[in-house]
Amino acid sequence: MDLSASLLDIRFANPLLNASGVWCRYNEELDGLRDSAAGSFITKSCTLATRAGNPEPRYYATPLGSINSMGLPNEGYTYYLDYARAYDYAKKPLFMSVAGLSLEDNLAMLAAIRDAGLPAVVELNLSCPNVPGKPQIAYDFAAMDRMLEATSREYGRPFGVKMPPYFDIAHFDEAAAILNKYPLVAFITCINSIGNALVIDIEQESVVIKPKDGFGGIGGDYVLPTALANVNAFFRRCPQKQVIGCGGVKTGEHVFMHLLAGASLVQVGTALQEEGPGIFARLNGELAALLERKGYTSIEAVLGKLKTL
């Protein structure tokens, strides 16, 4: 069975990697992903300076997934750039996630990554708020347009964007129109967690995380249908770009769904947090068995082949 995948003309042994934010804050965690059965891996979304993040508890697992309000805890971009400089790219491809708190911060980090001349692939996180009182960048279409114009001009290399979920067809259309303006936006990662959910513990009659009075982003089973819709919406609307699927993946069947919807690669978040990097070997095995049962010999044969009624 051929599980190999391709993105930006880079070959991957299989389509799986972690979602940025999970198992990737420290070098030891990144090494665990490097040594796992994942086809590639991505660093923690980084900011210009180190951030401790929001107060604990800020992550809580539920029977159907998770809720979190992490607050971008990370070691600062130089920590991940140093890892990328020392990394042996013969092992597997490496992505770097950038999530500056301002346009200027993003441009400074991207310039440093560009000037390092590394083969690491950049994923620019547009699904984090960067101005108090303003929506996250990808929900502010004018700000997203400015961010992509400046990034394309200053970075000058192909890169990808991490998107929040959209829920309206008109918003799919408008976001895609902006993304299609910029040829250097080579891939679109869909989705980040669904924001501002609330999980309640009925025994304690309380919220389960501390930040934002308990409001946080949900992942896991809750978000799979929304993730698939966003993957397919951008696969259809951005034919010159590739899509990375993210959201609700914990079985080989879920990986297969993302591939059918149009994902070239598939990220794993909540399930990785709960199971650890050993999940990638299990997912690859389940995916291969499913493909064999259905008579496919490669993932390329199913990519984007979702049927409509």
Side-chain angles (χ1 to χ4, degrees), residues 16 220 224 246-251 254-255 258 266-269 271 279 283:
L16 299 176
L224 178 61
C246 182
V249 174
K250 69 178 184 183
T251 70
H254 298 152
V255 178
H258 273 274
V266 179
Q267 297 181 349
V268 186
I279 192 173
L283 292 176

Side-chain angles (χ1 to χ4, degrees), residues 57-68:
R58 58 195 184 190
Y59 173 91
Y60 184 87
T62 76
L64 291 176
S66 66
I67 183 170
N68 82 88

Side-chain angles (χ1 to χ4, degrees), residues 56-104:
E56 301 277 3
R58 58 195 184 190
Y59 173 91
Y60 184 87
T62 76
L64 291 176
S66 66
I67 183 170
N68 82 88
S69 179
M70 302 301 290
L72 277 176
N74 74 96
E75 301 308 293
Y77 85 98
T78 57
Y79 180 90
Y80 305 104
L81 187 54
D82 286 345
Y83 184 91
R85 284 194 176 106
Y87 178 64
D88 178 5
Y89 289 86
K91 293 184 178 296
K92 62 182 64 171
L94 172 67
F95 291 77
M96 293 187 68
S97 176
V98 174
L101 302 180
S102 68
L103 173 59
E104 292 73 24

Side-chain angles (χ1 to χ4, degrees), residues 174-247:
E174 191 168 355
I178 294 169
L179 295 169
N180 284 331
K181 288 172 60 177
Y182 300 102
L184 289 179
V185 177
F187 66 90
I188 307 160
T189 302
C190 306
I191 56 171
N192 208 331
S193 57
I194 298 178
N196 293 315
L198 188 66
V199 171
I200 294 175
D201 181 331
I202 61 170
E203 297 304 323
Q204 299 298 320
E205 301 178 15
S206 169
V207 302
V208 297
I209 58 173
K210 184 170 184 175
K212 295 169 58 179
D213 294 326
F215 282 65
I218 53 170
D221 293 358
Y222 299 113
V223 309
L224 178 61
T226 299
L228 293 172
N230 278 259
V231 167
N232 194 242
F234 285 105
F235 177 77
R236 292 175 182 275
R237 287 167 175 77
C238 301
Q240 302 306 311
K241 306 182 188 303
Q242 290 179 271
V243 179
I244 297 179
C246 182

Side-chain angles (χ1 to χ4, degrees), residues 59-186:
Y59 173 91
Y60 184 87
T62 76
L64 291 176
S66 66
I67 183 170
N68 82 88
S69 179
M70 302 301 290
L72 277 176
N74 74 96
E75 301 308 293
Y77 85 98
T78 57
Y79 180 90
Y80 305 104
L81 187 54
D82 286 345
Y83 184 91
R85 284 194 176 106
Y87 178 64
D88 178 5
Y89 289 86
K91 293 184 178 296
K92 62 182 64 171
L94 172 67
F95 291 77
M96 293 187 68
S97 176
V98 174
L101 302 180
S102 68
L103 173 59
E104 292 73 24
D105 285 2
N106 274 334
L107 294 181
M109 291 187 284
L110 290 167
I113 295 169
R114 177 200 64 210
D115 293 347
L118 303 172
V121 180
V122 166
E123 181 185 271
L124 179 64
N125 194 335
L126 300 182
S127 51
C128 290
N130 76 345
V131 177
K134 296 286 188 181
Q136 51 187 289
I137 289 294
Y139 285 159
D140 181 337
F141 289 130
M144 181 169 78
D145 201 355
R146 290 192 298 271
M147 179 76 75
L148 295 178
E149 190 280 328
T151 300
S152 295
R153 183 182 66 248
E154 298 296 331
Y155 184 57
R157 299 170 59 183
F159 64 98
V161 290
K162 177 70 171 285
M163 305 294 280
Y166 295 104
F167 305 96
D168 193 293
I169 295 297
H171 293 157
F172 288 136
D173 293 339
E174 191 168 355
I178 294 169
L179 295 169
N180 284 331
K181 288 172 60 177
Y182 300 102
L184 289 179
V185 177

